[in-house]
Structures are given as structure tokens and as C-alpha cells.
Amino acid sequence: MISDGIRTAVKQSISIYEKGSKLANLLADVEPYAIKFVRSQWAANYLIPGRLKISQTPALTWGTATYVTPLTFPLSSALYGRIGLVSDFDPSGWRVFDATEPAACMAYVNWVQVQPAFSDLVLTVHSTHANHLLRNKFRRDFKIDCVLFHPDQEADIHTDRGQHVWMAVTDWNSDGSIDATMSARFAKARFTVLIDEEFELEENGLPIQKAARQIERITERIPIYESYEVGQARMDLSFPAK
């Protein structure tokens, strides 16, 4: 049984998107646009606008959702790939759970502890799967369209875990279940940003907490270097020698 106190605490951490709300403030300077970084192999799929893939693997912070970052923090999630896909979206009427607030996090923890699956979470090897089921159930039960949360993985230099905010956005099926295919809420994503950097996502098979730069640490040690505008470099016959 879930007590009225737990339900009330959760509901108090949910707000409807409107002017002055947390999400609205994050979008105030850039309008409702979000960015998602993916591996280079997916770049060609987004040369023309298309839907973002909804993430559904068990090791996700808030379950099956589309994970994006407000353009207020354009490079914050760059550890997930070199290709930045940018899409507009319409958050009107969204129910937003603000997990950047300690009270909201505690409300979720209290809710989890009274769920039947909690014992699987702490007493079995299936904790990742149990976590995934609980996070999806939580968002379904409270009809949460978007979870705001601080990054729990960090790209060296690019990410500020204390200040940046990421989003886990739910797409719903007509029967009220969570969609796990392609996002209708981020349907105009386009290949917009290419960064000259890579990061490791795992260490010893576990999600990495802080990822060091893989490219820049090499290039920045080159003692003599020159920068070229791309068009100029392609026309410069001496460029290979240089």
C-alpha cells in the first residue's frame, strides 16, 4: 500500500509546463529546442529531419524515454557521441517531475521502497532490470511526461553535474503505456553539430562517472600546429606536407 503522504509528496514535485516553471525557465533564452548526441554511424539518418530513437535499454537513469538536453547546455551530453541532433518540441501541458530537487528525489525513493519489486532491487542480481521496471511504473502511475535531472555521467570539461539539467521525455501509446519506438515529440531532429572529441562510456563493464577526453588530450600536445578554414585547406596543394 502506498500512503497518502507518499503520493502527496510525489504530486508536489510535479508541475504543469507553463511560463515560470523550471523547464520554461531553462528554455527561456533558446526557445523549445533540445539536443541529443549520438554515435557517428547515425549521422546520415538525420541529414533530413527525422524522429529521435527512444532509449529502452535497462541501464537508463529514468527508464524508457528520449534523453535530450535543453540547448541552454549545448555540449553537456557530448560524451554519448560526436553527432549533435537538434530538434524543436512542444512542451505545452507536460507534467514535469523535477528530480533536480532533493525533496522530489526523496519522494521517489520513498515510493520505490513500498513497491513489491523493491526486494528484487536490493536482494537479487536483477537490480538493473528491477530499477528499469520501477522507473517506468513510476512515470506511468503519475503520468509524468518529462523528468528533469542533473547529469549522472560527466564528460570532462563539457559537463557540470551540479548545474546542468538533462531531460527524460515520455512518449505515450494510445493505451497509456510507454512507447519504446521512435519519438513523436522529437520528430524533427537534424544533424546539426559535429564535435571533434570522443569519450568512453563504460569502465570495467559499468557506466563511467567521469569520462576523460580521448582526442583533445592528444592533439593539444602537438607543439606546432596551424588552424585552417576547411575550404581553404582543401584547395591548398601544400596542405598535406604541412
Side-chain angles (χ1 to χ4, degrees), residues 134-208:
L134 286 166
R135 289 159 178 169
N136 283 350
K137 176 176 169 54
F138 178 74
R139 287 161 45 234
R140 284 197 312 271
D141 286 0
F142 291 97
K143 298 179 174 58
I144 295 170
D145 297 294
C146 176
V147 178
L148 302 179
F149 63 103
H150 289 306
D152 51 3
Q153 290 184 278
E154 182 179 2
D156 187 21
I157 293 182
H158 297 69
T159 315
D160 186 330
R161 294 178 66 179
Q163 298 297 320
H164 292 181
V165 177
W166 292 357
M167 303 162 57
V169 179
T170 313
D171 272 77
W172 303 103
N173 293 314
S174 57
D175 62 358
S177 61
I178 296 175
D179 191 357
T181 57
M182 305 297 289
S183 176
R185 289 185 151 167
F186 298 97
K188 299 177 183 178
R190 187 164 183 165
F191 174 14
T192 307
V193 178
L194 171 64
I195 63 167
D196 191 18
E197 191 56 275
E198 289 180 341
F199 301 89
E200 294 291 343
L201 283 176
E202 294 185 351
E203 187 174 50
N204 299 323
L206 298 174
I208 201 165

Side-chain angles (χ1 to χ4, degrees), residues 7 64 80 85 101 108 113 126-127 131 152 157 168 200 205 223 229 236:
R7 291 184 182 276
T64 300
Y80 295 109
L85 308 175
E101 295 294 334
Y108 174 71
Q113 290 177 340
H126 309 297
S127 58
N131 249 327
D152 51 3
I157 293 182
E200 294 291 343
E229 191 274 326
D236 186 351

Side-chain angles (χ1 to χ4, degrees), residues 31-96:
E31 301 297 328
Y33 279 86
I35 185 166
K36 180 181 181 69
F37 282 91
V38 299
R39 295 299 183 188
S40 302
Q41 68 194 81
W42 304 113
N45 293 5
Y46 292 95
L47 293 176
I48 59 175
R51 293 186 175 191
L52 290 179
K53 178 72 176 71
I54 298 170
S55 301
Q56 58 176 319
T57 56
L60 294 168
T61 308
W62 282 99
T64 300
T66 308
Y67 288 81
V68 296
T69 309
L71 276 188
T72 307
F73 316 110
L75 297 179
S76 180
S77 59
L79 77 163
Y80 295 109
R82 299 179 63 192
I83 306 303
L85 308 175
V86 174
S87 177
D88 62 349
F89 64 100
D90 182 6
S92 301
W94 281 10
R95 290 171 56 83
V96 180

